[in-house]
Amino acid sequence: MNWDDTDEDVELTAAEHAHLQRLTDADADNDERAVEAALRPKTLDEVVGQVRVRDQLGLVLEAARRRGRAPDHVLLSGPPGLGKTTLAMIIAAEMSTPLRLTSGPAITHAGDLAAILSGLNENDVLFVDEIHRMSRPAEEMLYMAMEDFRVDVVIGKGPGATAIPLEIPPFTLVGATTRAGLLPGPLRDRFGFTAHLEFYEPHELDRIVHRSAGLLGVHLTAEGSKEIAGRSRGTPRIANRLLRRVRDYAQVRADGVLTLPVAQAALELFEVDESGLDRLDRAVLDVLCRRFGGGPVGVSTLAVAVGEERETVEEVAEPFLVRNGFLARTPRGRVATPAAWHHLGLTPPPMPTVDSTLFDD
């Protein structure tokens, strides 16, 4: 199959297949969303971390409440698993209004969007996940809906087509995206408040693990909680997932208490090391260092060497490795950093000397 010309009818890409198999993936499947619902904060005061976003959003919502109007449209961007959906639910809860949920890939035609908008009531909150994946006709319809609270529905085709204006009650659109750069400028400019969610610090994830453990009725020690938080890649969703897997291990192979040794043994069983790297991450680094001397190596060659598709290596493994300084992307290919060599217990090769005569004075 030619992955450069991906067919829209294909249900899952190779990267998405890999997501479903990885414990450290920040995306969630349908079953996991049901579990997450019980662990989500219900108010802004319960949100751990994201202090600046939380304070800014709280000000926007309080001002809207005092005016008795719907808040401005909100755009939330950032990597998956950091709480964009949770914040959308909190916005609706804080404003005491219903939340309507949909996703960008589900809106394939302008008519799909018109049907959703026509069903809104005044001050409703409409949450569109992965908003950058909406179809272009739907995006253009959304411009008018966000700004003028109306859309033009076209009836018929050709010369006999008629545009019927449809008034929409004032509403708040909350858009979430993992790739803000793909949003067209006119759409991005129509959001009154934009926020970018950052990765969490270990001490913030430690608080999240403790909170989730209390909700799940799990007994854990402070050391066990810190161990889980330190391997969670800065992402609450991964922290909660690792907590549930360590809980399973503790119930089956220990006395049910999540101590430090229990957490370490469980995460070793699930192939998540002390830096949060899993089997695929380590395979990429191992091949890059042992087989190719640290690079540079093309991503296609790396993918063949680890037995994965190019998209899996590029979209699933690389972002975390680059962000944590294990891998560097260069015009000539991927290069292992000294941190990658040390993580594998290897000695990095000596840096090549540079001939000063190659440069002009």
Side-chain angles (χ1 to χ4, degrees), residues 329-341:
R329 289 173 171 170
T330 72
R332 296 176 58 196
R334 276 51 175 174
V335 177
T337 66
W341 289 87

Side-chain angles (χ1 to χ4, degrees), residues 36 40 81 119 135 150 157 176 217 233 240 244 246 274 309 314 326 336 339:
E36 286 182 352
R40 294 184 191 277
S135 67
R150 74 179 184 91
K157 296 182 179 180
R233 303 164 77 110
N240 287 330
R244 298 198 300 275
V246 175
E274 64 277 3
E309 297 288 344
E314 196 167 26
F326 293 111

Side-chain angles (χ1 to χ4, degrees), residues 237-277:
R237 179 177 291 155
I238 296 176
N240 287 330
R241 186 183 300 150
L242 295 182
L243 171 64
R244 298 198 300 275
R245 298 293 73 79
V246 175
R247 175 197 59 180
D248 295 342
Y249 183 95
Q251 289 176 345
V252 174
R253 299 191 180 180
D255 59 0
V257 180
L258 276 63
T259 62
L260 176 59
V262 169
Q264 290 174 335
L267 295 172
E268 181 180 354
L269 175 65
F270 288 108
E271 299 183 288
V272 180
D273 68 19
E274 64 277 3
S275 297
L277 276 65

Side-chain angles (χ1 to χ4, degrees), residues 6-252:
T6 304
D7 189 348
E8 293 182 354
D9 293 334
V10 176
E11 294 184 358
L12 292 174
T13 66
E16 289 169 332
H17 273 296
H19 279 318
L20 297 177
Q21 300 168 0
R22 301 178 79 228
L23 191 63
T24 57
D25 172 42
D27 287 328
D29 57 25
N30 292 332
D31 292 337
E32 190 168 32
R33 289 191 181 97
V35 178
E36 286 182 352
L39 303 179
R40 294 184 191 277
K42 302 300 188 292
T43 66
L44 280 176
D45 292 336
E46 295 180 5
V47 174
V48 176
Q50 309 294 345
V51 177
R52 184 178 297 275
V53 172
R54 187 180 61 198
D55 291 345
Q56 292 173 344
L57 186 57
L59 181 64
V60 170
L61 298 180
E62 179 61 27
R65 277 196 297 267
R66 295 188 180 188
R67 290 194 300 267
R69 299 181 57 185
D72 285 342
H73 304 300
V74 177
L75 177 64
L76 304 172
S77 65
L82 299 187
K84 295 185 291 295
T85 303
T86 297
L87 286 178
M89 293 179 174
I90 289 175
I91 291 173
E94 295 275 352
M95 299 305 298
S96 301
T97 58
L99 176 68
R100 309 293 181 89
L101 295 95
T102 186
S103 64
I107 305 175
T108 57
H109 305 286
D112 299 333
L113 180 62
I116 294 172
L117 294 174
S118 62
L120 295 177
N121 297 317
E122 188 171 356
N123 295 334
D124 277 1
V125 176
L126 173 62
F127 175 60
V128 182
D129 197 13
E130 295 299 300
I131 193 171
H132 64 273
R133 296 176 63 185
M134 288 178 58
S135 67
R136 183 53 57 87
E139 282 179 358
E140 294 173 352
M141 175 178 284
L142 192 57
Y143 299 160
M144 186 179 298
M146 294 173 67
E147 204 161 55
D148 302 326
F149 298 109
R150 74 179 184 91
V151 294
D152 291 334
V153 180
V154 178
I155 306 298
K157 296 182 179 180
T162 303
I164 301 176
L166 176 65
E167 297 295 328
I168 301 170
F171 70 99
T172 297
L173 173 67
V174 180
T177 177
T178 56
R179 305 181 69 180
L182 296 183
L183 280 178
L187 178 58
R188 190 167 52 246
D189 293 343
R190 283 170 168 79
F191 287 96
F193 173 71
T194 61
H196 181 77
L197 275 61
E198 303 288 347
F199 286 100
Y200 286 64
E201 296 295 329
H203 70 274
E204 295 172 335
L205 290 172
D206 187 27
R207 292 172 56 193
I208 291 173
V209 170
H210 270 289
R211 178 183 179 274
S212 298
L215 295 173
L216 294 172
V218 175
H219 298 286
L220 81 165
T221 64
E223 294 79 8
S225 175
K226 289 180 180 179
E227 187 70 17
I228 295 172
R231 304 192 188 200
S232 298
R233 303 164 77 110
T235 307
R237 179 177 291 155
I238 296 176
N240 287 330
R241 186 183 300 150
L242 295 182
L243 171 64
R244 298 198 300 275
R245 298 293 73 79
V246 175
R247 175 197 59 180
D248 295 342
Y249 183 95
Q251 289 176 345
V252 174

